[in-house]
Amino acid sequence: MATPESIQRLVEKFEAGKARYAQPDYNEAQLRQEFVNPFFAALGWDVGDSQQVLHEAGLKSGGSTKHPDYSFLAGRQRAFYVETKKPAIDISQQIEPAGQLRSYGWSGNTAVGILTNFAEFAVYDCRIPPEQGDPAAAARVWHLTSAQYPASWTRLQATLSPLAVGQGKHKDLLAELGKGVLPVDAAFLRDMENWRAALAEQLYKQARFIDRELSQRELNQLVQRTIDRLVFLRIAEDRNLEPYGALERAARQKHVYAKLKNLYRAADKKYNSGLFHFDQADDSRGEPDKLSMDIYIPDNVLGKIIFALYPPQSRYEFSVISADILGQVYERFLGKVIEVRSEKHETRVAVEEKPEVRKAGGVYYTPEYIVDYIVENTLGKLLDGATPEQAAKLRVLDPACGSGSFLTGAYQYLLDWHIAYYRRHPAQFRNRRRETAEGILLTTTEKRRILLNNIHGVDLDQSAVEVTKLSLLLKMLENENDSTGLRDMQLPILPDLGGNIKWGNSLVGSDFYDGADVGGLADEELQRVKAFDWDGADGFADIMAAGGFDAVIGNPPYVRQETLGAAFKAYAKKTYDTYAGTADLYTYFIERGVNLLREGGAFSIIVANKWLRARYGKPLRAWLKKQAIREIIDFGDLPVFQQATTYPCILTIGRDGAGDSFAAAQVDTLEFASLREHVESLRYAVDRTMLDDGGWSLAREEVQVLLRKLKNAGVPLLDYVNKGIHFGIKTGLNAAFVINEDIKDRLIEEHPSSAKVIKPFLAGRDIKRYAEPVVERYVILIPSGWTEYNMGISSDPWRFVQETYPAVARHLEQFRAKAEKRWDKGDYWWELRPCAYYDEFEKPKIMLPDISLRGNFTFDEKNPYVANTAYIIPVDDKYLLGILNSKLITFIYSSISSTYRGGYLRFIYQYLARLPIRVIDFDNPADVAMHDEMVGLVERMLGLHKGYADLTDVQRSVVDAQIARVDRAIDALVYRLYGLSEDVVGIVEGG
């Protein structure tokens, strides 16, 4: 694009007055006003709009508070920082400005940072934190002089304009050098985990000062509170809320903890947040923390932690580490717990992953774009057209708040909404905002009012409750320091959030104890109970009496049903309409969350999408059909949670009348600038009346109509084959029972009787479409009941096996210990589990693997057995084989089942059984003709695949072309069999 005239004039003005601007008395504030602001305005930024640009330099008090001069925003996230220096400072050579910028960028988790004195413009890769002695050019990826601005304007516009930044184009400026460096959240988590381990060990040892052992819960609380308080006070220092270096000065003296307790008491009076609560006289904030005042922590332990929070040891700039970043750190931090164990007459302390986290495969921190979408989709719609008086009445809840990511997101949305409202209505509510040269900021009192009015949460983990409070308080203190008038405010500054964020089990009410054998419960299960009475004094009685919450949002914990415990399942069975014995925990969070809404409210959470099709989801689907579903966004196998494939979806439900349809979108990529805009481009309507109780397909209406037609055009496969769909066999110990050809040959050579119990064996990966399977493995098959049936009067079963099959017995003996531990063995350890259909494997049959990209069926007459990664259909029916391998059946299957990472389909019994198979009317000549045509095509296809592996490349290319032609003919015949029009065939062919 052409360089704007404003930039040409700006550069000419600077060049003409360069000598004047280089004088020491020309300061940064003048530079920003005369040159930097117009420069970014020319790029398209509204530098006076705090929704786009934060002028953090305006928050400094006498230059003592560390803040970058500007934060440029993409949505509510800081995209990059800009630090300015006056032209008298040579930023290309001086180390400190570049190091400071990189510290801001790394600590604030912004990859890009810009340093400028307008004479020069330098872009840095801030993924790389500064090291002592780094030259100014270290991690610098682009450098311009003012004279080069016009010629470089196209690239500047393409990477640093608001539109480009919204699309993430600013990161295109970065080189590869920053990849692989530990980001701030991972570094801070590592440090916090080290502090936890050191504190846990020492606090347990020092418990002698209170003449008793600390319980595991007390130990976890003490460690958590110690870390939380130190982090809070250190952040307060960098934001100029506390005198800088107070913690460090305490750490340089003797009796460090005594000095810290004095700081804690002062903070209690000043903040009143519950984080510091030691006064027995003030019980309005709950039980005071007397234990923290009685315990002792050695100087060396505290010193290591505190010194790690200050430079030169620390690279953290706490002025820019946001509540969101800390939330990510704490979410993972809370995934572990301190355990006290007694081993061999010795008690030791260890930090272990929580059982539910271990079984779930880790902690899944919700990405910010998901939080933003859910908040905007619920709270945003409730605020549409509202006034601040109406906004004050909204009540937002996260019933499993964790570290508070959804609640801090909702709180930030409310803060932004109020600022935008006050900008549009400048004459109203003047006492609720601060007018600054850079824009409107909310008063501390206003931020406090919004927090107490609107934000509510519950969590079963008491540590999570405290972390959520801390996250919200830090969010409230963002952009605050003494220059904002905070210190002139009447103390205490912060609200007590004890009435907003509460400890308890959202899913269990006080009626849990009615008739429950509490005495018979293990401690772990009792901890899961922690009944929470929503209507009671310790719950949210006023909100529930007024009808409930306006918005319920969140990401319920990923807890598998196996860990829920018998007592909870018994309670869930009598309490929840959505109960299923194998349902995961999120099922009940959906029902509870919707029932907590007031009329007109909105519920939205991100959960696994398994409920759409899983058997245990049937009661949930039946219940949801009666609810006002607004939207389901399915992410399929996309890695929304980077640590694992969780197949998530966003489910949004209103508390109002259910319509005939709801919106759906199947997200196909995570490479988007805005999830909202991407979903809008994909959104379509789903007719709820067409949803099948056996499993929901989020298909477009024309696909739903087609699926219904196809269902009516045939009979379920299970009925067609007279219930003959069988799992492959499970040995429970493949190392013992599955052998290769060399071992098979040796065992038979040692004793020919071995051949009677050695059968050809295929795994799922050995089964290929239409291909003759190649057997490379064998299974030792002594079925359950064989020994008792055959041994006659022998009183020693194992001796009988040794005498009957001596070579096989010698082979199995080496695996005896492991084989005996199998839960799924037969009557004896050498027998396989009971199976009523072993004989079916030795008949002609159709076989298929359980994982494949499409229908992958073949025919077998050689009688191999198959593993549990495959299925058999014991029929000699080549007509059926052709239908099953058709595009139409793959289309149907992918519509009724889930797609896994890489586009793979998981072929499982419940979906296979439902496949509609067109039945031939053998009294109808046209049907008979199509049947015979199909059999001929399938036999042709089987013939083409015989010996394929032995062909040359040239021969294969010829055969491949023939296979493709026959495949197309089979597909065309299937379309005729099912009576599909050309338009409908287009839907199938398009996937």
Side-chain angles (χ1 to χ4, degrees):
M1 63 170 289
T3 306
E5 288 185 16
S6 59
I7 287 296
Q8 296 279 12
R9 290 195 300 270
L10 203 62
V11 170
E12 289 168 4
K13 175 184 174 182
F14 186 81
E15 293 296 324
K18 189 177 275 189
R20 165 73 188 95
Y21 303 133
Q23 295 301 310
D25 62 341
Y26 186 81
N27 60 38
E28 290 177 28
Q30 291 171 294
L31 179 80
R32 288 194 292 272
Q33 193 65 34
E34 287 191 63
F35 293 101
V36 178
N37 288 356
F39 178 89
F40 283 101
L43 281 171
W45 294 93
D46 184 348
V47 291
D49 182 359
S50 59
Q51 304 293 300
Q52 284 199 34
V53 184
L54 293 177
H55 296 254
E56 316 235 22
L59 302 175
K60 296 183 180 180
S61 176
S64 61
T65 302
K66 294 180 178 180
H67 280 284
D69 293 319
Y70 300 83
S71 294
F72 285 77
L73 308 180
R76 70 179 180 91
Q77 303 304 321
R78 286 165 166 79
F80 62 92
Y81 293 123
V82 173
E83 181 72 358
T84 60
K85 297 297 174 186
K86 58 186 181 181
I89 294 176
D90 183 358
I91 63 172
S92 66
Q93 297 299 320
Q94 287 198 18
I95 296 172
E96 186 182 356
Q100 188 67 60
L101 172 72
R102 287 167 57 197
S103 289
Y104 290 144
W106 182 74
S107 298
N109 210 26
T110 62
V112 173
I114 295 171
L115 178 65
T116 184
N117 59 4
F118 199 77
E120 297 175 87
F121 184 95
V123 179
Y124 284 85
D125 187 341
C126 292
R127 294 172 298 181
I128 309 170
E131 300 291 344
Q132 226 171 357
D134 269 359
R140 191 165 68 198
V141 294
W142 194 21
H143 179 267
L144 296 171
T145 64
S146 57
Q148 294 173 309
Y149 294 162
S152 304
W153 195 254
T154 299
R155 188 182 182 196
L156 285 164
Q157 183 74 26
T159 53
L160 294 174
S161 67
L163 178 62
V165 170
Q167 296 172 341
K169 300 292 187 183
H170 60 301
K171 294 181 182 177
D172 292 348
L173 294 168
L174 303 179
E176 294 294 310
L177 63 149
K179 290 192 174 180
V181 180
L182 207 60
V184 63
D185 54 340
F188 200 53
L189 175 64
R190 178 197 59 195
D191 288 347
M192 282 178 57
E193 288 185 330
N194 290 337
W195 303 338
R196 172 167 55 190
L199 283 169
E201 183 178 350
Q202 287 300 322
L203 278 169
Y204 195 78
K205 288 179 181 177
Q206 303 302 327
R208 65 181 185 273
F209 284 88
I210 54 173
D211 295 325
R212 66 174 175 85
E213 283 192 354
L214 291 170
S215 71
Q216 187 166 301
R217 181 165 166 265
E218 287 174 325
L219 185 59
N220 275 280
Q221 281 184 337
L222 276 171
V223 170
Q224 182 79 55
R225 286 171 177 170
T226 301
I227 293 173
D228 290 352
R229 287 163 181 164
L230 292 175
V231 168
F232 177 88
L233 290 173
R234 181 66 188 86
I235 290 173
E237 287 183 14
D238 266 9
R239 294 182 182 172
N240 218 26
L241 302 171
E242 295 291 327
Y244 182 81
L247 293 175
E248 189 178 35
R249 286 190 290 275
R252 295 192 183 282
Q253 304 176 53
K254 291 183 178 180
H255 309 299
V256 178
Y257 195 57
K259 306 292 189 302
L260 287 183
K261 285 191 281 189
N262 290 333
L263 294 175
Y264 291 170
R265 290 189 182 95
D268 188 11
K269 294 177 182 176
K270 181 174 182 179
Y271 298 110
N272 190 44
S273 67
L275 180 60
F276 307 96
H277 175 35
F278 315 106
D279 188 357
Q280 186 73 47
D282 180 9
D283 59 1
S284 63
R285 290 180 286 159
E287 192 71 22
D289 180 13
K290 184 175 181 297
L291 189 57
S292 288
M293 293 292 104
D294 293 341
I295 203 72
Y296 170 75
I297 307 176
D299 288 359
N300 64 327
V301 176
L302 285 170
K304 286 181 180 178
I305 297 173
I306 291 171
F307 291 139
L309 293 169
Y310 288 90
Q313 287 189 38
S314 169
R315 297 177 298 186
Y316 306 117
E317 292 288 354
F318 289 101
S319 60
V320 296
I321 295 181
S322 67
D324 303 298
I325 292 173
L326 285 173
Q328 293 178 39
V329 174
Y330 269 111
E331 191 83 19
R332 285 170 282 172
F333 184 77
L334 293 173
K336 294 182 180 178
V337 66
I338 303 163
E339 293 189 352
V340 180
R341 295 176 178 168
S342 295
E343 297 176 357
K344 297 180 181 179
H345 310 293
E346 180 183 358
T347 301
R348 72 182 189 88
V349 174
V351 179
E352 301 286 351
E353 217 171 36
K354 292 177 180 175
E356 63 269 25
V357 171
R358 189 165 55 250
K359 288 172 182 173
V363 175
Y364 306 119
Y365 186 82
T366 313
E368 289 170 356
Y369 65 86
I370 297 290
V371 174
D372 291 347
Y373 184 87
I374 288 177
V375 169
E376 185 176 2
N377 213 29
T378 51
L379 185 56
K381 291 185 177 179
L382 290 165
L383 287 167
D384 189 24
T387 65
E389 293 97 330
Q390 292 168 324
K393 297 175 183 177
L394 295 179
R395 304 291 180 259
V396 182
L397 169 74
D398 184 344
C401 57
S403 67
S405 59
F406 276 88
L407 293 181
T408 53
Y411 182 41
Q412 183 66 60
Y413 191 92
L414 283 159
L415 297 177
D416 293 341
W417 181 89
H418 280 85
I419 288 174
Y421 185 92
Y422 297 150
R423 289 184 73 220
R424 294 194 307 270
H425 303 85
Q428 298 180 32
F429 304 105
R430 290 190 180 279
N431 62 324
R432 295 186 180 182
R433 62 184 187 268
R434 299 192 302 267
E435 306 285 348
T436 70
E438 293 82 14
I440 291 175
L441 296 175
L442 299 180
T443 65
T444 308
T445 302
E446 175 71 343
K447 291 197 285 186
R448 175 179 175 151
R449 181 190 68 80
I450 294 168
L451 180 54
L452 286 174
N453 271 352
N454 300 120
I455 303 298
H456 305 81
V458 180
D459 203 279
L460 180 55
D461 186 337
Q462 195 171 13
S463 294
V465 170
E466 296 307 314
V467 168
T468 295
K469 292 178 184 177
L470 177 63
S471 296
L472 288 167
L473 295 174
L474 291 172
K475 176 63 70 175
M476 179 185 158
L477 287 178
E478 282 182 0
N479 305 329
E480 298 283 4
N481 64 25
D482 63 347
S483 70
T484 67
L486 188 65
R487 288 190 171 178
D488 297 330
M489 198 181 153
Q490 183 178 355
L491 296 179
I493 294 170
L494 296 176
D496 171 29
L497 295 178
N500 292 63
I501 314 300
K502 302 195 175 191
W503 177 34
N505 189 331
S506 292
L507 302 177
V508 173
S510 56
D511 59 334
F512 173 86
Y513 304 109
D514 297 344
D517 181 14
V518 176
L521 297 181
D523 287 345
E524 184 181 343
E525 196 162 1
L526 274 173
Q527 174 67 15
R528 277 202 300 268
V529 174
K530 191 62 178 85
F532 188 78
D533 187 354
W534 290 91
D535 299 299
D538 293 333
F540 296 102
D542 292 344
I543 294 174
M544 297 309 296
F549 291 87
D550 298 273
V552 177
I553 57 178
N555 176 8
Y558 282 66
V559 178
R560 298 180 59 132
Q561 61 90 12
E562 296 91 341
T563 68
L564 295 181
F568 175 82
K569 285 190 175 183
Y571 175 80
K573 187 173 184 179
K574 70 177 184 179
T575 304
Y576 292 97
D577 293 337
T578 56
Y579 173 78
T582 55
D584 289 343
L585 193 67
Y586 68 76
T587 299
Y588 312 116
F589 271 101
I590 293 172
E591 182 176 345
R592 172 70 82 195
V594 173
N595 288 336
L596 288 170
L597 288 177
R598 67 154 176 82
E599 198 67 27
F603 166 90
S604 188
I605 61 172
I606 183 166
V607 291
N609 68 11
K610 291 188 291 184
W611 64 270
L612 285 164
R613 300 175 181 91
R615 282 180 180 168
Y616 74 69
K618 190 170 184 179
L620 175 60
R621 292 191 293 271
W623 182 82
L624 281 171
K625 254 190 165 180
K626 304 170 188 173
Q627 310 304 316
I629 300 175
R630 292 181 180 174
E631 184 178 71
I632 300 176
I633 301 171
D634 191 359
F635 290 89
D637 64 349
L638 294 173
V640 172
F641 299 96
Q642 294 179 4
Q643 305 97 316
T645 304
T646 54
Y647 305 99
C649 71
I650 295 175
L651 172 64
T652 304
I653 303 169
R655 190 68 160 175
D656 42 32
D660 292 335
S661 64
F662 58 84
Q666 302 200 44
V667 179
D668 50 1
T669 179
L670 297 182
E671 298 296 320
F672 44 71
S674 162
L675 176 58
R676 179 181 55 79
E677 292 175 2
H678 189 60
V679 166
E680 285 177 357
S681 71
L682 299 171
R683 190 180 280 125
Y684 56 90
V686 173
D687 185 341
R688 71 169 59 241
T689 64
M690 290 190 173
L691 295 172
D692 189 328
D693 289 342
W696 286 8
S697 169
L698 295 182
R700 296 177 182 274
E701 186 173 353
E702 62 269 25
V703 176
Q704 295 281 15
V705 171
L706 171 57
L707 290 172
R708 179 165 290 187
K709 176 181 178 179
L710 293 169
K711 180 180 177 182
N712 295 330
V715 300
L717 176 62
L718 189 65
D719 295 337
Y720 184 90
V721 297
N722 194 25
K723 302 193 176 351
I725 303 174
H726 301 303
F727 300 96
I729 62 175
K730 301 176 182 179
T731 70
L733 186 62
N734 281 358
F737 296 97
V738 178
I739 59 176
N740 60 29
E741 189 154 13
D742 289 341
I743 296 175
K744 183 260 298 186
D745 291 344
R746 177 173 57 79
L747 294 180
I748 293 174
E749 183 179 347
E750 288 178 11
H751 202 281
S753 68
S754 302
K756 293 182 180 180
V757 291
I758 297 177
K759 308 292 183 180
F761 189 68
L762 299 171
R765 64 179 177 273
D766 300 322
I767 299 171
K768 309 296 182 186
R769 191 165 175 267
Y770 289 118
E772 185 177 31
V774 178
V775 175
E776 296 179 343
R777 282 171 293 277
Y778 299 82
V779 62
I780 296 172
L781 200 156
I782 303 176
S784 176
W786 178 90
T787 310
E788 290 288 343
Y789 183 80
N790 289 284
M791 71 179 179
I793 61 173
S794 174
S795 60
D796 188 338
W798 179 236
R799 180 177 292 277
F800 170 73
V801 175
Q802 289 175 310
E803 291 171 350
T804 308
Y805 303 120
V808 169
R810 283 192 297 274
H811 168 80
L812 292 178
E813 181 71 57
Q814 60 187 317
F815 301 101
R816 181 172 189 156
K818 290 182 178 179
E820 285 178 336
K821 293 178 182 178
R822 291 176 301 154
W823 65 269
D824 58 348
K825 58 181 178 287
D827 296 334
Y828 299 99
W829 65 264
W830 54 86
E831 293 181 346
L832 300 189
R833 62 188 290 173
C835 175
Y837 52 87
Y838 278 127
D839 291 345
E840 302 294 337
F841 289 97
E842 300 190 7
K843 297 177 181 178
K845 55 189 172 292
I846 292 172
M847 303 186 301
L848 70 147
D850 67 341
I851 297 177
S852 184
L853 287 169
R854 60 162 298 169
N856 199 356
F857 298 78
T858 195
F859 185 71
D860 165 69
E861 292 181 298
K862 291 191 174 181
N863 309 329
Y865 286 69
V866 302
N868 64 314
T869 55
Y871 287 84
I872 65 166
I873 304 172
V875 294
D876 186 349
D877 190 339
K878 296 183 175 67
Y879 164 80
L880 175 62
L881 178 62
I883 288 180
L884 291 175
N885 271 328
S886 69
K887 278 186 179 177
L888 182 63
I889 289 298
T890 296
F891 170 80
I892 295 170
Y893 196 89
S894 62
S895 298
I896 65 175
S897 72
S898 299
T899 302
Y900 291 78
R901 178 160 286 187
Y904 283 89
L905 297 170
R906 184 77 182 269
F907 286 83
I908 57 179
Y909 185 90
Q910 71 181 85
Y911 303 133
L912 283 168
R914 292 165 54 193
L915 290 172
I917 305 301
R918 166 70 154 78
V919 178
I920 292 294
D921 179 1
F922 285 97
D923 292 329
N924 182 334
D927 264 23
V928 172
M930 288 192 287
H931 171 273
D932 293 347
E933 183 182 352
M934 178 66 79
V935 172
L937 288 168
V938 170
E939 288 179 341
R940 172 70 174 144
M941 188 68 92
L942 291 169
L944 287 168
H945 282 82
K946 278 188 177 178
Y948 183 86
D950 299 325
L951 299 178
T952 65
D953 289 343
V954 173
Q955 290 170 326
R956 283 184 183 180
S957 65
V958 174
V959 173
D960 285 343
Q962 293 174 324
I963 288 172
R965 282 197 297 273
V966 179
D967 233 352
R968 288 195 295 272
I970 289 174
D971 287 332
L973 177 55
V974 171
Y975 297 144
R976 283 164 46 209
L977 279 162
Y978 284 81
L980 302 190
S981 67
E982 191 173 327
D983 289 344
V984 172
V985 169
I987 295 174
V988 177
E989 295 280 343

